[in-house]
Amino acid sequence: MTAVSDSLVIARRNLIRMGRIPEMLVFGLIQPIMFVVLFTYVFGGSIQVGSSNSTQAYREFLMAGIFAQTVTFATAGAGAGIADDMHKGLIDRFRSLPMARGAVLTGRTLADLVQTALTLVVLAVVALIVGWRTHENLGKVLAGFGLLLLLGYAFSWIGALIGLTVRTPEAATSGGLIWLFPLTFISNAFVDANQMPAFLRHIAEWNPFSATVQASRELFGNLPPGFRAPDAWPMQHPVLASLIWSTVIILLFRTLAVRKYRRAAG
């Protein structure tokens, strides 16, 4: 209970800091909104999914990918924030307090989760404006957003590890983004994985990012007419695969990040 209390205190500290710097939220929204506009109105008429070539079908197919990309790109912010705290010596001040060692990282990732949730709400409103619609009940839609947030929380622990490993916030930002581009684009986020070359298709099918995207599409009811999911197990059972991937990432990278934090603060 002490560790939980300490984590909530650190989370509150980070949320207050975020509230005083609204540019962080605004700039975090610009990129996903640009992706929505570009892929919907520039590429939407040229990309076919399933048996339909309508812009509306691709618009609904696309949005789960944009949502997932948005929550994973928050990794860079998490890493930069922790690297900044390390660089300014704030972590040394936390060390002098009688608090759980893992609370600093847990509090930071929880604050990032709240920010990601707010970003998703705004992005969902923008998606509705450009024509995105869901075709399932409210429970399934909320479950889809829950899987997206779980993936974002899992990736924030990867960002935490990167932030503890590099020396400057700038390096954390670069290190947090460079590997995300191949991860998100070699997936089913923007195109049907069935249309990829064989070696890329297998990577996309077993990509944890793809599992969450596919699960969200099913829960939102955004699978286009005639769409056939790949035969790979994660694509046939995307909800379960998404839960497994996110849980494994959290357990693995939280362990590594807390161990790195203790070593860095020792």
Side-chain angles (χ1 to χ4, degrees):
M1 292 304 297
T2 300
V4 172
S5 177
D6 292 343
S7 299
L8 293 177
V9 170
I10 297 296
R12 181 173 177 271
R13 172 255 175 189
N14 284 285
L15 289 174
I16 291 174
R17 180 172 177 267
M18 292 174 184
R20 292 174 179 173
I21 312 175
E23 307 93 87
M24 295 173 60
L25 183 60
V26 173
F27 291 150
L29 284 170
I30 291 176
Q31 179 175 299
I33 291 175
M34 288 176 59
F35 272 105
V36 170
V37 174
L38 286 173
F39 277 88
T40 299
Y41 295 109
V42 178
F43 303 116
S46 304
I47 300 177
Q48 180 175 349
V49 289
S51 60
S52 173
N53 58 359
S54 70
T55 303
Q56 179 63 24
Y58 181 69
R59 184 179 295 129
E60 295 185 353
F61 177 88
L62 169 71
M63 284 315 305
I66 296 292
F67 291 150
Q69 185 189 56
T70 301
V71 301
T72 53
F73 270 42
T75 301
I82 292 175
D84 187 53
D85 287 344
M86 292 284 290
H87 184 68
K88 291 179 178 178
L90 184 62
I91 300 300
D92 291 331
R93 279 176 258 173
F94 285 139
R95 285 177 55 201
S96 67
L97 300 175
M99 62 186 300
R101 287 293 180 91
V104 174
L105 301 180
T106 302
R108 174 72 206 198
T109 54
L110 288 175
D112 289 330
L113 179 64
V114 174
Q115 182 181 5
T116 301
L118 293 175
T119 303
L120 270 184
V121 170
V122 176
L123 191 59
V125 172
V126 174
L128 290 172
I129 293 174
V130 301
W132 172 67
R133 297 293 182 269
T134 60
H135 305 285
E136 294 288 353
N137 59 58
L138 181 61
K140 287 189 175 182
V141 173
L142 293 178
F145 281 111
L147 288 177
L148 290 167
L149 289 175
L150 182 63
L151 180 71
Y153 183 68
F155 274 62
S156 68
W157 281 105
I158 301 178
L161 181 61
I162 293 173
L164 291 168
T165 303
V166 300
R167 295 183 179 181
T168 64
E170 292 79 9
T173 301
S174 300
L177 286 175
I178 192 169
W179 60 276
L180 281 173
F181 281 100
L183 182 79
T184 55
F185 281 93
I186 305 177
S187 71
N188 60 356
F190 306 109
V191 297
D192 183 357
N194 289 313
Q195 300 176 7
M196 295 181 178
F199 72 99
L200 287 181
R201 185 176 69 249
H202 294 314
I203 295 174
E205 290 170 350
W206 289 90
N207 186 341
F209 183 84
S210 295
T212 300
V213 171
Q214 183 72 8
S216 298
R217 284 195 183 117
E218 288 190 2
L219 293 170
F220 293 156
N222 286 160
L223 294 177
F227 177 81
R228 183 182 64 82
D231 294 330
W233 185 87
M235 298 295 99
Q236 292 295 320
H237 308 86
V239 175
L240 180 58
S242 176
L243 289 171
I244 292 174
W245 274 119
S246 295
T247 302
V248 169
I249 291 171
I250 291 172
L251 294 176
L252 174 62
F253 283 93
R254 187 186 189 280
T255 301
L256 294 175
V258 172
R259 184 178 301 172
K260 183 73 175 179
Y261 172 78
R262 289 175 176 170
R263 189 178 302 123

